[in-house]
Amino acid sequence: MAAACSGWRCLGLLPWRLRAAGQAAGVGLLRAQSRGYCIPFGTGRYARGRARKGSRMLVGAAFALGGTFGLFQTLQYPLKAQEHLAEQQAAKLPAGSLQLTLYQYKTCPFCSKVRAFLDYHGVPYEIVEVNPVMRKEIKFSSYRKVPILLANAGNTLQLNDSSVIISAIKTYLISRKKSLEEIVSFYPPMKAVNERGKEVTEYGNKYWLMLDEMETQHVYPIKETRVEEMKWRKWADDWLVHLISPNVYRTPREALASFNYIVHEGKFGTVEGFFAKYMGAVAMFFISKRLKSRHHLQDNVREDLYKAANDWVKAIGKHRPFMGGSQPNLADLAVYGVLRVMEGLEAYDDMMTHTKIQPWYHRMEKAIGEAEVPNWQLLQPPY
């Protein structure tokens, strides 16, 4: 499975494509199950149908406006602090160091994973917010998904897929023997056909760090910790991500409450505000039901979210603050990155109230918030 966000699928956290009535409405969402990227608007059947006239265009515009502006406005407030942190770190970038630019959607869980990783390790980076409709910010790339990371370590390289980005940059921070270009070559893109018969791009080895024996021993003194980290990173991509949208838009009340906040906080005209609040809420409510059916979730999708949160806490155990022990590992950062896109919404509050995840979550917030120095210098083993 790939690890990136597809178009508005990431703004709305939607890993599927509307069909039947949804396509008739022109919503234009793409399905890319369990990928580490987001596919922007303007691709697939939605792009081919944009020239259609009449009521379908009107309804499609309403859904697109409600959706695109919807969760983006709802969730962007708690992420502003994260953007400020990245800007503060960028000011500390020493001459000749790795220079990174992250192309993202703020509310994409896969993009959030990458930010959590970079912030925790004190790695400076710049953020370019991609417009999910026009996506002109990534017109330079044939890869039309986010996150995209441009890395300049002498030569500019483009890294795709959130899990590949994290594994490659972590390897680079640890290893003194390999160039970033060599490291990226260890994660080759491969064409595959998914269960729906669609050709997709997958990345081999993406949960592996490409380290030599000494480096591996330094990072994973106990062999089982490496296996555990990889298992739960994959779990975050393949399962946890799919619980977000059905919970954010679980009921009409929750959907409308989210979009009511959007209209209140956003700067909309009368017509735009109406579409964003009502059409967006209606669209996302029905989309969430399709997602629940596709991923075989319980009637009360909160129960799946609660179970996932408690399963994660149980896996950590009572005797270590993080899965990584005294410090977060890549699995901690992945799970935290996915969950934090719900901050400010009822689903997030319910999860904190009805599960045991709150202490771990707050420890993660503190660990990332205290990353004021380049922690990556401490990752390198002595030679």
Side-chain angles (χ1 to χ4, degrees):
M1 299 295 181
C5 282
S6 82
W8 201 83
R9 179 173 81 81
C10 275
L11 292 178
L13 312 173
L14 307 176
W16 66 297
R17 177 171 58 193
L18 283 177
R19 293 187 285 187
Q23 288 178 349
V27 182
L29 301 180
L30 291 180
R31 177 172 64 180
Q33 179 180 354
S34 300
R35 309 217 183 289
Y37 49 80
C38 295
I39 305 169
F41 266 137
T43 56
R45 297 184 185 180
Y46 175 70
R48 296 193 295 270
R50 280 185 296 183
R52 297 176 183 175
K53 306 295 184 179
S55 61
R56 291 180 66 179
M57 284 189 65
L58 178 59
V59 176
F63 278 107
L65 178 62
T68 302
F69 287 108
L71 199 57
F72 176 83
Q73 292 290 337
T74 302
L75 294 177
Q76 71 173 344
Y77 176 76
L79 293 174
K80 287 181 179 178
Q82 299 160 19
E83 185 172 326
H84 293 329
L85 176 59
E87 291 170 350
Q88 292 168 3
Q89 291 172 338
K92 302 178 183 179
L93 184 64
S97 294
L98 184 65
Q99 299 179 25
L100 303 177
T101 302
L102 177 64
Y103 293 80
Q104 66 154 22
Y105 303 141
K106 279 187 177 181
T107 55
C108 163
F110 301 108
C111 299
S112 179
K113 281 171 46 187
V114 174
R115 290 196 309 272
F117 165 77
L118 295 174
D119 289 343
Y120 172 69
H121 289 92
V123 179
Y125 62 101
E126 296 181 358
I127 289 176
V128 176
E129 191 68 23
V130 176
N131 183 303
V133 179
M134 302 303 294
R135 67 193 190 282
K136 61 182 180 180
E137 295 83 1
I138 57 172
K139 65 181 180 180
F140 63 86
S141 173
S142 60
Y143 182 82
R144 306 300 288 168
K145 312 172 184 76
V146 294
I148 291 174
L149 187 72
L150 293 188
N152 189 336
N155 296 318
T156 299
L157 296 173
Q158 178 176 324
L159 284 71
N160 307 322
D161 187 284
S162 63
S163 292
V164 171
I165 291 170
I166 291 169
S167 294
I169 297 299
K170 182 68 178 280
T171 299
Y172 180 78
L173 296 178
I174 295 170
S175 179
R176 301 179 185 179
K177 300 178 179 179
K178 305 180 187 72
S179 68
L180 183 58
E181 186 173 7
E182 180 184 4
I183 292 169
V184 172
S185 72
F186 296 143
Y187 304 96
M190 299 176 294
K191 297 295 182 181
V193 177
N194 65 14
E195 68 276 9
R196 299 178 302 281
K198 179 181 177 181
E199 185 178 89
V200 296
T201 300
E202 302 288 356
Y203 291 85
N205 310 318
K206 68 180 180 179
Y207 298 113
W208 285 85
L209 302 187
M210 300 304 170
L211 308 174
D212 64 23
E213 185 175 353
M214 180 180 293
E215 293 163 346
T216 300
Q217 183 62 32
H218 180 73
V219 178
Y220 304 106
I222 302 174
K223 181 179 180 180
E224 288 73 20
T225 60
R226 185 180 199 173
V227 175
E228 181 184 52
E229 179 185 79
M230 293 170 63
K231 170 187 172 181
W232 288 94
R233 289 180 67 191
K234 189 174 187 300
W235 175 83
D237 286 347
D238 290 351
W239 176 244
L240 187 61
V241 156
H242 297 311
L243 302 180
I244 306 300
S245 284
N247 276 280
V248 169
Y249 298 105
R250 180 183 58 155
T251 66
R253 179 181 58 81
E254 288 181 80
L256 189 59
S258 296
F259 281 88
N260 184 60
Y261 173 81
I262 295 163
V263 173
H264 182 266
E265 295 296 325
K267 295 182 179 180
F268 295 99
T270 303
V271 176
E272 290 175 333
F274 174 84
F275 283 147
K277 180 176 179 179
Y278 294 102
M279 299 300 290
V282 170
M284 295 311 304
F285 171 71
F286 286 106
I287 287 169
S288 71
K289 302 310 172 189
R290 290 289 300 273
L291 286 171
K292 181 178 77 171
S293 175
R294 178 181 177 186
H295 296 296
H296 310 290
L297 305 184
Q298 300 180 52
D299 288 339
N300 182 0
V301 293
R302 282 289 199 275
E303 295 301 322
D304 291 292
L305 180 63
Y306 297 160
K307 183 178 185 303
N310 285 328
D311 285 348
W312 169 249
V313 173
K314 182 179 179 180
I316 295 173
K318 299 180 179 180
H319 303 296
R320 51 181 180 173
F322 306 101
M323 181 164 283
S326 60
Q327 298 294 329
N329 67 8
L330 297 184
D332 287 293
L333 293 168
V335 173
Y336 173 76
V338 170
L339 292 178
R340 72 173 173 180
V341 299
M342 295 191 298
E343 286 185 12
L345 302 178
E346 185 176 332
Y348 171 85
D349 295 336
D350 286 347
M351 180 182 69
M352 290 297 171
T353 300
H354 298 289
T355 74
K356 300 177 180 180
I357 204 169
Q358 185 170 355
W360 168 85
Y361 194 92
H362 290 331
R363 288 194 295 268
M364 287 297 301
E365 289 180 314
K366 183 178 180 181
I368 292 176
E370 292 177 347
E372 298 177 353
V373 297
N375 294 337
W376 56 269
Q377 292 177 345
L378 304 177
L379 298 176
Q380 299 173 335
Y383 285 92

